[in-house]
Amino acid sequence: MATNKELADLIFPDVKETVEDLEKRYPPRNLPEGAEVTRFAPSPTGFLHTGSLFTALIAYTFAKQTNGVYFFRLEDTDQKREIEGTGLDLVKQLKNFGIVADEGYYGDHEEGNYGPYVQSNRADIYKVVIKDLIRRGRAYPDFCSKEELDQLRLVQEANKVVPGYYGEYAKYRGLTVKEYIDLVKSGKPYVIRFRSLGNPANHIKAHDEIRGDMELTQNYQDIVIYKSDGLPTYHFAHLVDDHFMRTTLVTRGEEWISSLPIHLELFEAMGWKAPKYAHLPVIMVNDKETGNKRKLSKRKDPEAAVSYFLGQGYPKEGVIRYLLTIANSNFEAWMMENPKAPLTDFKLSFNKFSLDGALFDMPKLNNISKELLANMDKKTFSDQCLEWASSYNEELAKLINSDRSKFEAIVNIERDQEKPRKDYEKFSDVLPHIAFFYPDHYDALLKKAPLPFNPFLKKELIKEVLDDFIATFDVEHQDETTWFSKMKELGLRHNFIDDRKVYKKNPTAYNGWYADVISIIRITVSASTQAPKLYDVLKILGKDEVSRRVKEVEAGL
């Protein structure tokens, strides 16, 4: 009588290793108790999705805060969908956000004792386990053609039953071992299916780290575990890889909950302990057209791509901080209480995760980024701004490199104080705010549009104020209090009262009040009404450049 061992040897004649050999090659990791081994395991099929960054962040954080291991595995078994080069891009973009694997795939090489970390290079490992399942009668070859499967689907639709390959609908499940052997020897194409022992009438209890105990329908589908191209399916690769890489905690989107019974049955069939699972909430947005919630879409939402945040110049820690507000409900309060504390001080907890899809809130991200940028010291801000500009804004990088001390002085205006100035949400905001400090950019601004002086002020009066201002300019040798007093005196000389209440009672008796003088000078030197504190602006520009600007403006009046 033919045996399953003969069938296994026929299908995999060259596979001599056993599961026991693999257990020795990939032994349990020597880690402290409670240490989690986590992974990020994307497919190289496109850009890094914001949801994927979220998933990687959670995996990385739990590994780090438990003194465990976080590794990167590339799941490229669906090679029809693979886009060349995206594996390396994924690694680089994660690195941009400080998420770097302890071991695994690094784009151009691998490191670690539990590899290969690219699934297409692990074919020999999968064959060992599949051969073991065939030998034990828990897997079998299925010879259904595409046409037969299409016909099966039509029959199931007509009978209004759950689609799939199971029970009476599993055409090749009930063959004898000899029949399997004869069909394999005949050269008929086949895939390998897992032989499920489940029943659709039964339920299993499964534990999720976020949702707690769940009751799910038992798996009863004979899923494909090995394709005709010699590579495993996702479900089977997940089983083998997470066992032999010794993963203890799998973080993934909640859309995978429906697959959990399959994965648990696969682990049970092998006699292996399954890792813990945490199914993360899906990131949602409010659809602008319908007003309804929907999943963040790479087709409709620019913020779905991590490259969007990189290109716009959001501080990387700002994006991470925002994603942590999605992860844990108590993070925002912790962040407000500890604005300058390192993120490693915050302990992520599955108990604080939301069960509902979190709405992606751009205003909140902008606010977090603005706070973060405002609280950076000038060197850190300048370093990160230059790093961004070197890749995304050549003109800004050129200005920073031409005079680093000047740039630091500009961005430090009203920064080093209890309530720092908040001009920037992202680094792409910097150049529009500071361009006027640089002569070429200032001259370009002058040509764009008339300066926004108060239309009630006569040109002759503006010129008189500017002439007096330049004649008495000594800001480089005055502290701010002295300069402020001198400016008030200048205003009084030209009939600008320094008391707003007095001015409001009798406005026709004066040319204006003190703030109008400041506005004349601010507009003159910056070509805008929105420039930062004038005293600091004048000190940075210096008398020669300020004098040049006054002459330019007066010539245009």
Side-chain angles (χ1 to χ4, degrees):
M1 181 183 292
T3 65
N4 285 320
K5 182 180 182 306
E6 290 177 63
L7 176 61
D9 287 338
L10 175 65
I11 293 174
F12 296 112
D14 298 327
V15 175
K16 305 301 181 187
E17 270 193 305
T18 65
V19 171
E20 290 71 27
D21 293 327
L22 294 177
E23 296 285 3
K24 292 174 184 175
R25 195 197 309 175
Y26 303 111
R29 295 171 182 268
N30 184 20
L31 294 171
E33 188 172 349
E36 300 288 7
V37 179
T38 67
R39 45 60 161 189
F40 180 55
S43 299
T45 55
F47 63 84
L48 182 62
H49 192 281
T50 301
S52 298
L53 174 61
F54 180 61
T55 301
L57 171 64
I58 303 307
Y60 175 85
T61 303
F62 273 102
K64 291 301 172 185
Q65 69 185 30
T66 61
N67 296 312
V69 174
Y70 162 77
F71 66 88
F72 188 115
R73 180 172 75 225
L74 194 68
E75 301 197 336
D76 64 340
T77 57
D78 189 354
Q79 298 196 322
K80 292 178 182 176
R81 296 177 59 232
E82 182 175 351
I83 300 173
E84 189 176 352
T86 53
L88 178 58
D89 289 343
L90 292 171
V91 172
K92 287 180 177 177
Q93 290 191 359
L94 285 174
K95 186 177 180 180
N96 274 318
F97 290 92
I99 301 176
V100 179
D102 299 306
E103 65 182 57
Y105 171 78
Y106 291 92
D108 54 1
H109 72 289
E110 293 187 6
E111 294 178 16
N113 297 323
Y114 290 81
Y117 296 91
V118 177
Q119 285 185 336
S120 58
N121 295 331
R122 295 173 62 81
D124 291 344
I125 297 172
Y126 303 129
K127 289 175 183 178
V128 172
V129 181
I130 292 175
K131 184 173 183 177
D132 181 76
L133 285 170
I134 295 172
R135 183 181 57 80
R136 294 190 290 111
R138 292 306 305 272
Y140 62 92
D142 171 50
F143 303 88
C144 267
S145 65
K146 181 182 181 302
E147 291 72 25
E148 286 177 301
L149 291 173
D150 290 341
Q151 182 60 37
L152 171 63
R153 194 174 300 109
L154 292 175
V155 170
Q156 290 173 329
E157 288 175 359
N159 292 340
K160 296 182 179 179
V161 298
V162 177
Y165 200 86
Y166 60 92
E168 64 183 284
Y169 300 105
K171 179 178 179 180
Y172 290 91
R173 176 185 169 105
L175 300 188
T176 65
V177 176
K178 184 177 185 307
E179 287 173 321
Y180 285 131
I181 289 175
D182 289 343
L183 283 169
V184 171
K185 286 182 176 179
S186 75
K188 189 174 175 68
Y190 61 89
V191 296
I192 305 292
R193 287 186 183 271
F194 173 66
R195 188 186 299 274
S196 173
L197 302 184
N199 187 316
N202 295 338
H203 289 79
I204 62 167
K205 286 187 177 179
H207 183 79
D208 179 80
E209 296 299 300
I210 296 173
R211 290 161 176 76
D213 292 333
M214 303 182 296
E215 194 170 272
L216 303 170
T217 301
Q218 189 176 42
N219 174 59
Y220 55 92
Q221 298 270 359
D222 286 3
I223 63 163
V224 175
I225 58 175
Y226 189 72
K227 299 177 291 184
S228 57
D229 63 2
L231 288 173
T233 57
Y234 167 80
H235 296 301
F236 184 74
H238 160 80
L239 162 80
V240 176
D241 295 344
D242 280 332
H243 176 70
F244 287 118
M245 293 178 182
R246 305 300 176 178
T247 307
T248 64
L249 172 65
V250 173
T251 57
R252 59 188 186 185
E254 63 183 21
E255 66 272 17
W256 289 103
I257 290 177
S258 61
S259 297
L260 189 54
I262 295 173
H263 298 157
L264 292 178
E265 189 182 7
L266 286 168
F267 275 100
E268 185 180 10
M270 290 304 302
W272 295 338
K273 181 182 178 181
K276 292 178 286 187
Y277 289 91
H279 292 91
L280 309 177
V282 173
I283 299 177
M284 313 286 282
V285 291
N286 276 324
D287 191 284
K288 294 175 183 176
E289 295 178 4
T290 66
N292 298 325
K293 286 184 182 180
R294 60 168 173 76
K295 287 175 66 174
L296 194 63
S297 164
K298 61 184 180 183
R299 187 168 53 86
K300 296 181 178 181
D301 310 305
E303 62 270 31
V306 168
S307 56
Y308 170 77
F309 303 108
L310 295 173
Q312 288 290 306
Y314 280 91
K316 294 149 190 175
E317 188 178 326
V319 177
I320 295 298
R321 282 174 178 262
Y322 173 67
L323 291 177
L324 287 173
T325 68
I326 293 178
N328 269 190
S329 56
N330 61 327
F331 176 74
E332 198 166 354
W334 178 88
M335 182 172 56
M336 293 175 70
E337 293 170 6
N338 306 276
K340 296 188 178 182
L343 293 183
T344 49
D345 285 0
F346 178 77
K347 297 305 177 189
L348 202 61
S349 169
F350 285 126
N351 294 330
K352 298 292 185 179
F353 271 73
S354 167
L355 295 180
D356 300 319
L359 275 176
F360 197 90
D361 187 344
M362 283 299 292
K364 183 184 282 189
L365 170 61
N366 290 335
N367 187 58
I368 289 172
S369 295
K370 186 182 288 186
E371 288 285 340
L372 184 65
L373 290 177
N375 282 287
M376 285 181 183
D377 61 77
K378 63 182 181 181
K379 182 181 184 305
T380 302
F381 183 97
S382 300
D383 286 344
Q384 293 194 17
C385 188
L386 178 58
E387 181 187 5
W388 173 80
S390 296
S391 297
Y392 296 99
N393 191 318
E394 184 180 350
E395 180 60 24
L396 179 57
K398 181 180 172 184
L399 293 177
I400 297 172
N401 285 322
S402 67
D403 191 338
R404 172 66 181 249
S405 60
K406 178 179 179 178
F407 179 80
E408 288 192 2
I410 293 169
V411 298
N412 203 45
I413 295 176
E414 298 180 83
R415 174 176 296 276
D416 193 13
Q417 56 190 35
E418 185 178 347
K419 291 186 177 180
R421 187 180 175 93
K422 299 172 184 176
D423 285 324
Y424 318 110
E425 292 177 349
K426 48 195 181 297
F427 292 119
S428 56
D429 296 337
V430 173
L431 185 55
H433 276 84
I434 71 165
F436 76 88
F437 279 96
Y438 297 90
D440 290 347
H441 286 270
Y442 170 82
D443 293 344
L445 289 170
L446 280 189
K447 295 175 183 176
K448 275 188 176 180
L451 294 181
F453 288 121
N454 185 334
F456 297 105
L457 296 177
K458 294 180 180 179
K459 292 180 180 179
E460 292 78 10
L461 177 61
I462 293 173
K463 188 174 184 302
E464 288 173 11
V465 169
L466 291 175
D467 285 342
D468 194 351
F469 165 66
I470 287 300
T472 57
F473 188 98
D474 196 27
V475 70
E476 290 154 322
H477 302 99
Q478 297 168 339
D479 61 30
E480 191 170 0
T481 302
T482 304
W483 172 81
F484 191 77
S485 298
K486 295 294 183 182
M487 292 300 294
K488 281 191 174 183
E489 292 172 11
L490 185 154
L492 291 171
R493 289 197 295 272
H494 298 277
N495 199 27
F496 287 86
I497 188 67
D498 61 355
D499 189 323
R500 191 174 189 181
K501 290 181 180 178
V502 174
Y503 175 66
K504 279 192 169 183
K505 286 180 180 178
N506 192 9
T508 57
Y510 305 97
N511 285 324
W513 76 293
Y514 163 72
D516 292 320
V517 174
I518 295 296
S519 180
I520 289 171
I521 297 166
R522 174 177 283 112
I523 292 169
T524 296
V525 299
S526 71
S528 170
T529 60
Q530 302 298 316
K533 189 162 64 174
L534 185 56
Y535 172 78
D536 291 327
V537 170
L538 295 172
K539 286 199 78 169
I540 291 170
L541 291 175
K543 184 171 184 178
D544 289 346
E545 178 60 18
V546 171
S547 299
R548 185 189 78 83
R549 294 185 182 199
V550 167
K551 289 178 183 177
E552 289 281 340
V553 170
E554 287 185 340
L557 288 174

